[in-house]
Amino acid sequence: MTSSKTIVLRSSDGATFEVDEAVALHSLMIKHRIETGGADSTTIDVPEVTGNTLSKVIEYCKKHVEAPNSDDLKSFDTDFVKVDQAVLCHLAKASYYMNIKGLLDLSSKTIADMFKGKTVEQIRETFHIKNDFTPEEEEELRKENSWNLFV
Amino acid sequence: MPESNDHFTPYPDHVLENVLENVLAFLHSRRDRNAVSLVCRSWYRAEAYTRSDVFIGNCYALSPRRVTDRFTRVRSVTIKGKPRFADFSLLPVNWGAHFTPWVSGMANAYRTLEKIHLKRMSVTDDDLAAVANSFPRFKELVLVCCDGFGTAGIAAVVSRCRGLRVLELIEDEVSDDYVDWISCFPADGPTNLESLMFDCVESPINFESLENLVARSPLLKKLGLNRFVTIGQLHRLMTRAPQLTHLGTGSFSPPEQPEQHEHHENDNNRVSDYVSAFASCKSVVCLSGFREIAPEYLPAIIPVCANLSSLNLSFANINAEQLKPVIRHCHKLRVFWALDSIGDEGLQAVAETCKDLRELRVFPIDATENGEGLVSEMGLLAISIGCRKLQSILYFCQQMTNAAVVAMSKNCPDLVVFRLCIIGRFSPDHVTGEPMDEGFGAIVKNCKKLTRLAVSGLLTDRAFSYIGQYGKLVRTLSVAFAGDSDIGLKYVLEGCTNLQKLEIRDSPFGDSGLWSGLPRFYNMRFVWMSSCRVTREGCLDVARQLPRLVVEVFRRDEEEGGEKSDFVNTLYMYRSLDGPRADAPRFVNIL
């Protein structure tokens, strides 16, 4: 019997989302909170996640909870991660924090695919990462990689 | 999902934080992981923590300690040791590539190690015992072209490693310690064995134990038998393991002393018995062995031919007439290895049927210079016409023509590996009398994906200018008895910008050719030059200019002291992060 109970999730920037409890439980973090939280835990704070990201996470959970056996689940997933790199990273972090394995693996794999074939500089640029090696360190590591651990 | 986070340090970049390790679980290629490791310090740490497969292309390029310090949770290690010319006895026996320091380094660091893959390493029985004792989760041991161990070492591994799934001994030299290793598998219950290959082990095997082992190995897919297993015994094993996909057939002949009730007339019955054995092994896709083949039994494999993707007859001295009835069924064949006993006619038969062939290797029965030429340019041409998808070829012959090689370069544009070994030294095109320059030139020019090349025959500097000009993707180049002058070597070292491995023997290249490679040597895995014209002074100069290059000079006959001639007998040089090795034997000079 499907519970008609709803849960409110509150993002870091104060946005609230009302979701079916069954959908919310797809996040093991929320499940744990509910189980240990006491009788009136109908509003759960998710301070690690902004409203935009939380909205997307909920969309994922809804689909996977309400139609787990549907034929278009795979294409849903594929389309779901056709987002820009920043959104993808937020999704990955949110799913890690909220303990949603399916979404974590999906977003992780997509990010990994973005690394493939790229040079170091391209990866830094795509993900806006600052290089904190000294030139000497970097040179030594390049040698370590290519002198021994390469094809 | 998030486990204990003790190892995490706060990341200066907030892009991926704790998620990076999860992401890296989906990144497998070395090249990609190497790139990730250089992005920034925290990414370096995350990558090092999550790399589970470590590949070491030259065991002397770095110390075991450096590997275990950097990568702390390794499941699988692959290490390569001696240079390939060791296979041709060009490397003295005690030269090195010892596995011992690696296994002792890893024993402490990698408690969860599952797989070890070694190529051309010296492995002792003590090393194998250390493997057996140090890694409780050990699952896979693959030893290729290794030596230094015996059946006692194998016994240690199989008796103690209860989770063993894969034991593959491929072209190793295994000493016979008179230990019945096959009986040393734990006696009780089913095994986890998926692959057991011991084709190269030159000692008799306890068949009863082997049969018992196979019968209680329900997961066994690959079985490679040595020549001490007769065809009758093979039959019994096949009925025990109809699920096999890869089969090394052992001797493929009856025992020398016929059993009591055997008559010659029963041979036909025998063949049909074996035919039905093969018929019931519906999953076999890869066949090898045939180590002492009685050719009349070869047709027994016909039931599996239609599904075969790989057939290795390189130990089978059979002729074209014996090959044809079998090969004409092998429509799906992708890999074919054979002896030149099949002749040009046999190759023609291959070309007619095996339209999907990707890899061909033809080995010589007689590798001496004046041997009978059983295959020639005709066979090569036939293959090039019939097997358009060919990617890799190794072809030994006594004679060749430029025309046939040029034809192959045009008919087989997908070639990645082209190794032509014209056995007679300095052999020209036997029809025109010209050098083989144009043939090899066409190969480097037309085969745009070529990464590995071996040349032979009469070659002038022009051939090397072609290689330098067009061989931009070539990573491995093998030269024997070829070339005119140092210019040839210069062309190659300056032109082949992706060259990683250069092995040269008995060619007139000297110091000035060698020096032209100075800007490249740090970007190469190794350079080997034996019986060439480099001097000790020339090698010393290289060593002085490139301090992180280990420059080894030695004599093949292991004599120390002064050279007998002006030229260095063998030069083997390679880059190293951790300086020259400490285990060099006395006859090796490190400059």
Side-chain angles (χ1 to χ4, degrees):
Chain A
M1 201 168 74
T2 341
S3 160
S4 55
K5 186 172 173 206
T6 59
I7 301 278
V8 171
L9 301 177
R10 184 156 56 207
S11 70
S12 61
D13 45 354
T16 55
F17 302 87
E18 192 172 336
V19 295
D20 285 345
E21 188 186 39
V23 171
L25 291 178
H26 202 61
S27 152
L28 295 185
M29 177 273 258
I30 292 180
K31 183 167 188 283
H32 180 77
R33 289 269 186 87
I34 291 174
E35 284 166 359
T36 58
D40 54 334
S41 49
T42 49
T43 299
I44 295 185
D45 281 303
V46 192
E48 301 282 349
V49 187
T50 64
N52 285 339
T53 306
L54 188 54
S55 154
K56 274 206 72 95
V57 170
I58 289 167
E59 188 192 330
Y60 176 91
C61 294
K62 249 175 104 65
K63 182 73 178 182
H64 277 253
V65 168
E66 289 170 3
N69 300 317
S70 73
D71 292 327
D72 70 337
L73 199 63
K74 241 190 148 182
S75 60
F76 170 84
D77 280 356
T78 309
D79 290 340
F80 190 76
V81 286
K82 281 182 185 162
V83 292
D84 73 38
Q85 164 264 325
V87 174
L88 198 54
C89 292
H90 286 132
L91 275 175
K93 287 193 284 185
S95 58
Y96 175 87
Y97 174 72
M98 293 176 73
N99 206 331
I100 305 168
K101 181 162 171 38
L103 183 56
L104 177 60
D105 284 349
L106 175 63
S107 47
S108 295
K109 182 171 189 317
T110 310
I111 296 171
D113 287 344
M114 291 173 70
F115 291 155
K116 288 179 185 172
K118 283 197 169 67
T119 65
V120 179
E121 291 77 16
Q122 285 168 337
I123 297 176
R124 284 180 189 144
E125 204 180 301
T126 307
F127 291 88
H128 312 294
I129 313 263
K130 187 170 178 315
N131 174 12
D132 56 356
F133 289 118
T134 67
E136 295 76 28
E137 280 172 341
E138 189 172 338
E139 184 52 35
E140 191 64 16
L141 285 178
R142 275 187 196 273
K143 286 199 172 78
E144 194 170 282
N145 283 352
S146 68
W147 284 18
N148 310 292
L149 304 165
F150 215 64
V151 174
Chain B
M1 288 303 338
E3 305 158 319
S4 155
N5 294 346
D6 315 345
H7 57 271
F8 287 135
T9 55
Y11 295 101
D13 70 280
H14 296 282
V15 170
L16 283 172
E17 290 178 27
N18 329 16
V19 168
L20 183 58
E21 294 193 8
N22 216 79
V23 170
L24 291 178
F26 294 97
L27 199 66
H28 304 293
S29 108
R30 282 199 294 278
R31 205 177 280 256
D32 291 331
R33 293 193 73 100
N34 285 350
V36 163
S37 73
L38 285 172
V39 166
C40 66
R41 288 179 187 191
S42 61
W43 282 40
Y44 174 89
R45 283 194 295 270
E47 196 283 316
Y49 189 75
T50 56
R51 189 180 299 215
S52 61
D53 298 355
V54 171
F55 170 85
I56 301 189
N58 177 357
C59 65
Y60 285 127
L62 79 177
S63 66
R65 182 67 190 275
R66 187 182 280 260
V67 178
T68 56
D69 278 353
R70 175 172 174 181
F71 303 110
T72 51
R73 290 194 332 179
V74 171
R75 297 272 166 83
S76 156
V77 168
T78 300
I79 309 176
K80 296 191 175 185
K82 303 175 195 179
R84 197 181 66 93
F85 273 177
D87 295 352
F88 304 97
S89 307
L90 291 181
L91 196 65
V93 165
N94 298 315
W95 176 82
H98 302 291
F99 183 49
T100 310
W102 291 93
V103 70
S104 36
M106 294 191 301
N108 295 322
Y110 298 150
R111 297 293 298 159
T112 53
L113 191 68
E114 294 180 5
K115 175 178 168 183
I116 292 173
H117 184 143
L118 305 179
K119 187 165 185 181
R120 294 200 187 93
M121 299 282 292
S122 281
V123 182
T124 64
D125 286 341
D126 285 344
D127 293 337
L128 292 178
V131 169
N133 293 327
S134 309
F135 308 117
R137 294 206 209 152
F138 195 69
K139 295 191 170 85
E140 295 191 17
L141 181 64
V142 176
L143 301 178
V144 180
C145 297
C146 295
D147 61 11
F149 65 100
T151 47
I154 307 175
V157 172
V158 307
S159 60
R160 285 221 58 182
C161 301
R162 289 193 150 258
L164 196 66
R165 291 198 296 220
V166 171
L167 176 65
E168 290 178 2
L169 304 171
I170 299 171
E171 292 181 57
D172 304 308
E173 266 200 47
V174 184
S175 66
D176 189 354
D177 306 325
Y178 303 102
V179 171
D180 180 6
W181 62 274
I182 202 81
S183 303
C184 293
F185 282 88
D188 46 326
T191 74
N192 294 311
L193 276 179
E194 295 169 16
S195 174
L196 176 64
M197 304 187 69
F198 59 94
D199 311 53
C200 62
V201 177
E202 284 291 306
S203 41
I205 200 91
N206 179 331
F207 182 71
E208 199 181 311
S209 288
L210 174 61
E211 193 176 9
N212 173 282
L213 184 69
V214 169
R216 58 191 176 90
S217 299
L219 303 174
L220 194 68
K221 289 285 198 295
K222 301 186 186 184
L223 180 63
L225 307 166
N226 69 7
R227 65 179 178 86
F228 293 88
V229 178
T230 67
I231 192 168
Q233 292 172 331
L234 168 68
H235 181 193
R236 290 173 65 143
L237 292 173
M238 289 175 74
T239 55
R240 298 286 193 179
Q243 77 280 6
L244 290 176
T245 58
H246 292 58
L247 178 60
T249 59
S251 72
F252 216 72
S253 59
E256 279 178 10
Q257 288 180 2
E259 295 156 7
Q260 277 191 335
H261 300 291
E262 216 170 293
H263 299 291
H264 188 68
E265 300 87 59
N266 279 351
D267 270 355
N268 282 343
N269 291 341
R270 289 249 117 75
V271 176
S272 64
D273 282 345
Y274 303 143
V275 170
S276 56
F278 277 94
S280 50
C281 282
K282 297 183 194 307
S283 313
V284 167
V285 290
C286 179
L287 266 188
S288 61
F290 310 103
R291 297 247 161 180
E292 289 168 349
I293 189 174
E296 62 271 24
Y297 290 107
L298 189 59
I301 74 170
I302 287 176
V304 298
C305 285
N307 277 330
L308 275 188
S309 58
S310 171
L311 178 58
N312 179 351
L313 292 170
S314 63
F315 288 91
N317 190 341
I318 56 167
N319 59 34
E321 287 315 305
Q322 291 160 336
L323 176 68
K324 282 186 199 174
V326 163
I327 203 74
R328 66 185 189 84
H329 296 280
C330 298
H331 302 280
K332 287 193 195 167
L333 208 61
R334 295 222 163 184
V335 175
F336 182 57
W337 293 19
L339 285 176
D340 60 359
S341 57
I342 63 171
D344 287 332
E345 204 184 322
L347 290 173
Q348 180 68 49
V350 171
E352 277 163 19
T353 308
C354 308
K355 297 304 182 189
D356 269 346
L357 199 69
R358 301 291 202 262
E359 178 179 324
L360 173 69
R361 297 195 191 191
V362 180
F363 297 96
I365 288 189
D366 177 1
T368 63
E369 275 196 78
N370 299 313
E372 190 190 342
L374 295 166
V375 298
S376 71
E377 70 276 6
M378 305 297 292
L380 192 75
L381 186 63
I383 291 289
S384 80
I385 292 171
C387 307
R388 299 296 176 118
K389 299 183 193 172
L390 201 65
Q391 292 171 352
S392 172
I393 182 165
L394 170 63
Y395 196 86
F396 282 86
C397 54
Q398 291 282 351
Q399 63 184 39
M400 187 47 60
T401 63
N402 281 305
V405 178
V406 170
M408 177 158 269
S409 79
K410 292 182 177 159
N411 293 337
C412 306
D414 290 341
L415 278 175
V416 174
V417 175
F418 184 80
R419 298 155 72 189
L420 177 60
C421 303
I422 308 171
I423 295 173
R425 287 173 297 166
F426 312 113
S427 298
D429 177 323
H430 84 94
V431 167
T432 66
E434 306 228 317
M436 290 299 299
D437 297 346
E438 297 309 313
F440 286 104
I443 290 285
V444 283
K445 198 166 167 191
N446 298 331
C447 303
K448 306 209 193 295
K449 303 178 192 173
L450 197 76
T451 60
R452 184 170 180 181
L453 178 65
V455 300
S456 58
L458 181 67
L459 294 175
T460 71
D461 290 337
R462 162 164 274 162
F464 295 98
S465 84
Y466 289 145
I467 295 171
Q469 189 180 355
Y470 297 108
K472 296 304 180 192
L473 293 185
V474 171
R475 294 205 299 261
T476 305
L477 178 63
S478 197
V479 180
F481 301 100
D484 268 346
S485 75
D486 279 332
I487 303 273
L489 183 54
K490 188 163 138 64
Y491 284 139
V492 164
L493 285 171
E494 288 177 357
C496 297
T497 45
N498 274 302
L499 195 61
Q500 292 287 305
K501 302 187 244 183
L502 179 60
E503 46 186 35
I504 306 176
R505 61 168 296 187
D506 295 275
S507 302
F509 301 130
D511 294 341
S512 80
L514 185 65
W515 293 333
S516 61
L518 277 172
R520 293 231 60 240
F521 292 143
Y522 279 158
N523 292 329
M524 293 176 67
R525 190 170 314 159
F526 71 79
V527 174
W528 168 290
M529 293 179 71
S530 59
S531 303
C532 296
R533 300 171 77 80
V534 290
T535 67
R536 195 184 171 83
E537 269 309 308
C539 297
L540 262 170
D541 261 352
V542 173
R544 277 187 212 117
Q545 302 269 356
L546 300 174
R548 298 182 90 171
L549 204 66
V550 176
V551 180
E552 295 193 12
V553 161
F554 51 88
R555 290 183 57 82
R556 180 177 169 186
D557 57 15
E558 300 189 32
E559 268 198 40
E560 307 171 37
E563 287 96 27
K564 288 209 172 118
S565 75
D566 293 329
F567 303 125
V568 152
N569 181 251
T570 305
L571 162 68
Y572 178 53
M573 52 191 210
Y574 51 89
R575 64 221 169 165
S576 169
L577 283 174
D578 294 321
R581 57 186 174 120
D583 65 357
R586 293 182 56 197
F587 60 84
V588 170
N589 292 300
I590 298 181
L591 303 181

